[in-house]
Amino acid sequence: MEHIYEIPIWKKYTLSVEEAAVYFRIGENKLRSLINENKSADYLLWNGSRALIKREKFERFVDGLETI
């Protein structure tokens, strides 16, 4: 029997762009734009050419913004 573990989105260390868009209620295009403008940001983890968003660090980044 195969066990599939689903980790709740609020417990994940990294989020895909799609997951981050749902979690933060920010459009995928806006997130991709932020990634392209800040490729070396500490809230990003690169898996090859795929960007993953470090949830807690991105939360702190967003908390410091007044507009996005």
Side-chain angles (χ1 to χ4, degrees):
M1 190 158 128
E2 185 177 325
H3 295 285
I4 298 176
Y5 298 100
E6 185 65 34
I7 300 170
I9 197 168
W10 60 89
K11 289 189 174 187
K12 289 185 174 185
Y13 180 73
T14 60
L15 304 173
S16 67
V17 171
E18 295 80 11
E19 290 171 327
V22 171
Y23 184 81
F24 291 103
R25 297 184 49 88
I26 299 171
E28 287 183 34
N29 290 336
K30 180 53 121 174
L31 284 171
R32 291 184 198 284
S33 175
L34 284 170
I35 291 168
N36 287 332
E37 293 170 3
N38 304 292
K39 290 185 184 241
S40 62
D42 69 339
Y43 58 79
L44 293 176
L45 174 67
W46 290 92
N47 182 6
S49 62
R50 180 180 175 182
L52 296 171
I53 297 171
K54 296 176 186 176
R55 182 183 51 81
E56 290 182 358
K57 288 190 177 196
F58 192 70
E59 284 176 0
R60 287 192 292 273
F61 170 73
V62 170
D63 283 346
L65 299 176
E66 291 188 23
T67 60
I68 200 162

